């Protein structure tokens, strides 16, 4: 059975709506990748060193990441020798398979660590401009749809308008927001929010945090302070520390992940704005080079466009055109 048929069989167990979201959300990346791959195959009739060098450039340009690309190219060369592939047309499906293997090689548990009994505390971190507040609103909606009661803590007291923005999202999805005045101590906001969440027996408290202070050290110290307050009030918390990254920033997102990962015990990544970039390969780089699972991906601007990450759906969304073309060739 072909790789594409196996993939389609896996996807039949999931909803068409989710498959469509991944397919539509990854359209820019897929179109860019497919176009460049087709041009490469058209220019080169045989698989040689020059072909691999240009393929390397295409993958790095798609933000797959240098280390990941090097591993992939080595694997491809071995596969070409093993299968005795000469024609570039025959290597296209192999590239798709190898990229898919890289995605699926690492276990990726997209489920959130929601407590069966008592309060679940989710701390959301990330620099300004990545879509952190929007992600919190969409995550609150996702959890509400799952039958959970949710409360938000407006812990980003430094950015002008951050509290009001979170309040708008609170009203939109129908959840309470605990806040203080702009410029207040974020740790004090967290303390109030934790007390309120416990007294109202809320299932999940999602905590917004500052995205920028005077310097990186100050920001990380502030996040540590907030974390200590949470741990004191709910000893097992935070149950998740979600780092929000903007997919359109590419390798800069990797740099942010490494910085926050060292300082805040990040348990999962939310990759936003995947629908707005032609460089969705950053997912492969993050999955392979960081020991942090991708928990959610942002595939559009609607409130329900934040989706739990699923490797099979991502592979299909990224390689749909190439895989379907391969399937047509097999059947004809």
């Amino acid at each position: 059975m072909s790789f594409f048929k196996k993939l389609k069989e896996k996807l039949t167990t999931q909803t068409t709506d989710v498959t469509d979201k991944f397919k539509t959300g990854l359209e820019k990346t897929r179109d860019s990748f497919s176009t460049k791959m087709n041009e490469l195959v058209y220019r080169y009739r045989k698989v040689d060193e020059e072909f691999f060098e240009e393929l390397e450039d295409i993958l790095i340009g798609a933000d797959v990441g240098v280390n990941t690309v090097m591993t992939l190219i080595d694997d491809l060369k071995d596969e070409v020798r093993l299968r005795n592939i000469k024609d570039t047309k025959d290597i296209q499906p192999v590239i798709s398979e190898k990229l898919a293997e890289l995605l699926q090689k690492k276990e990726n548990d997209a489920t959130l660590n929601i407590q069966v009994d008592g309060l679940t505390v989710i701390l959301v971190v990330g620099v300004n401009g990545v879509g952190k507040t929007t992600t919190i609103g969409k995550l609150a909606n996702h959890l509400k749809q799952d039958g959970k009661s949710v409360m938000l803590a407006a812990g980003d007291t430094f950015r002008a308008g951050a509290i009001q923005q979170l309040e708008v999202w609170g009203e939109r999805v129908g959840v309470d927001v605990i806040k203080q005045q702009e410029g207040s101590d974020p740790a004090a906001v967290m303390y109030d929010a934790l007390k309120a969440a416990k007294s109202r027996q809320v299932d999940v408290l999602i905590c917004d945090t500052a995205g920028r202070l005077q310097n990186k050290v100050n920001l990380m110290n502030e996040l540590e302070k907030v974390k200590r307050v949470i741990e004191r009030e709910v000893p097992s918390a935070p149950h998740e520390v979600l780092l929000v990254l903007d997919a359109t920033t590419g390798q800069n997102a990797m740099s942010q992940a490494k910085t926050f990962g060292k300082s805040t015990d990040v348990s999962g990544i939310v990759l936003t704005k995947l629908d707005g970039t032609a460089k969705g390969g950053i997912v492969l780089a993050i999955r392979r080079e960081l020991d942090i699972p991708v928990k959610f991906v942002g595939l559009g601007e609607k409130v329900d466009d934040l989706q739990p990450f699923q490797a099979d759906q991502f592979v299909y969304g990224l390689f749909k055109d190439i895989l379907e073309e391969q399937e047509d060739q097999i059947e004809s």
Side-chain angles (χ1 to χ4, degrees):
M1 187 186 292
S2 72
F3 169 70
F4 183 60
K5 275 191 174 175
K6 287 178 187 173
L7 186 59
K8 281 182 83 172
E9 280 191 4
K10 284 184 182 178
L11 296 183
T12 54
T13 62
Q14 297 160 18
T15 67
T16 304
D17 184 49
V18 172
T19 300
D20 287 344
K21 283 184 185 299
F22 273 84
K23 189 168 65 177
T24 304
L26 291 167
E27 189 172 357
K28 282 189 179 178
T29 297
R30 182 172 64 252
D31 287 351
S32 172
F33 188 75
S34 296
T35 299
K36 286 174 181 173
M37 278 302 302
N38 288 333
E39 287 173 355
L40 179 63
V41 168
Y42 180 77
R43 280 199 309 275
Y44 290 88
R45 292 303 177 191
K46 62 177 182 175
V47 181
D48 56 18
E49 199 58 39
E50 284 186 23
F51 173 86
F52 279 119
E53 283 178 12
E54 196 157 338
L55 175 61
E56 198 175 291
D57 290 341
I58 289 172
L59 293 169
I60 290 172
D63 269 338
V64 173
V66 175
N67 293 336
T68 305
V69 170
M70 295 298 106
T71 301
L72 177 66
I73 295 295
D74 286 343
D75 286 350
L76 279 171
K77 286 179 178 177
D78 289 342
E79 201 69 27
V80 164
R81 281 193 292 270
L82 192 65
R83 300 194 197 183
N84 196 27
I85 295 172
K86 304 293 184 186
D87 196 314
T88 54
K89 290 198 299 292
D90 296 328
I91 200 175
Q92 265 188 299
V94 183
I95 294 168
S96 304
E97 285 180 43
K98 287 296 173 186
L99 283 168
E101 280 176 21
L102 283 178
L103 255 182
Q104 294 165 323
K105 197 170 281 183
K106 271 195 174 183
E107 286 297 317
N108 187 89
D109 188 1
T111 56
L112 291 172
N113 180 22
I114 302 295
Q115 304 303 289
V116 177
D117 298 309
L119 177 64
T120 297
V121 182
I122 299 175
L123 191 64
V124 182
V125 301
V127 302
N128 289 347
V130 295
K132 186 157 50 72
T133 311
T134 299
T135 294
I136 290 169
K138 290 181 178 181
L139 180 58
N141 179 71
H142 174 81
L143 290 165
K144 273 198 73 181
Q145 297 302 313
D146 203 32
K148 302 287 187 290
S149 57
V150 183
M151 181 180 284
L152 307 181
D156 187 356
T157 60
F158 299 105
R159 179 172 67 87
I163 297 169
Q164 291 84 348
Q165 189 183 357
L166 197 66
E167 283 185 298
V168 169
W169 270 106
E171 289 174 13
R172 187 176 178 186
V173 301
V175 299
D176 290 336
V177 178
I178 304 301
K179 62 171 184 173
Q180 289 188 14
Q181 289 183 334
E182 196 173 296
S184 302
D185 181 0
V189 177
M190 294 304 163
Y191 179 80
D192 287 351
L194 288 159
K195 291 290 186 187
K198 285 193 283 187
S199 68
R200 299 180 204 178
Q201 296 186 315
V202 168
D203 294 323
V204 183
L205 174 67
I206 308 175
C207 306
D208 193 10
T209 60
R212 180 165 57 227
L213 291 177
Q214 294 92 327
N215 58 54
K216 190 166 65 180
V217 174
N218 282 357
L219 173 59
M220 296 308 161
N221 287 344
E222 188 62 54
L223 290 174
E224 275 298 323
K225 182 181 171 186
V226 164
K227 203 157 166 269
R228 284 197 301 273
V229 170
I230 292 172
E231 287 169 349
R232 191 169 67 235
E233 293 303 312
V234 182
S236 62
H239 303 99
E240 291 279 4
V241 179
L242 298 181
L243 171 61
V244 182
L245 298 173
D246 179 347
T248 66
T249 63
Q251 292 304 304
N252 190 34
M254 286 286 290
S255 173
Q256 289 170 27
K258 287 170 183 173
T259 300
F260 278 91
K262 286 175 189 171
S263 306
T264 56
D265 298 322
V266 172
S267 60
I269 284 170
V270 181
L271 202 58
T272 65
K273 308 178 191 178
L274 259 182
D275 59 309
T277 181
K279 297 187 172 187
I282 188 65
V283 174
L284 287 125
I286 287 170
R287 296 252 354 243
R288 189 176 185 281
E289 296 179 34
L290 301 175
D291 195 24
I292 307 170
V294 178
K295 298 242 174 180
F296 286 87
V297 287
L299 298 169
E301 295 181 5
K302 294 177 185 173
V303 70
D304 61 348
D305 282 337
L306 184 73
Q307 290 290 321
F309 179 78
Q310 297 175 44
D312 292 334
Q313 295 283 7
F314 186 85
V315 169
Y316 176 74
L318 195 58
F319 305 123
K320 171 184 166 288
D321 297 341
I322 292 172
L323 293 169
E324 287 184 345
E325 187 180 321
Q326 173 201 352
E327 196 64 23
D328 289 341
Q329 288 171 0
I330 291 170
E331 290 174 0
S332 59

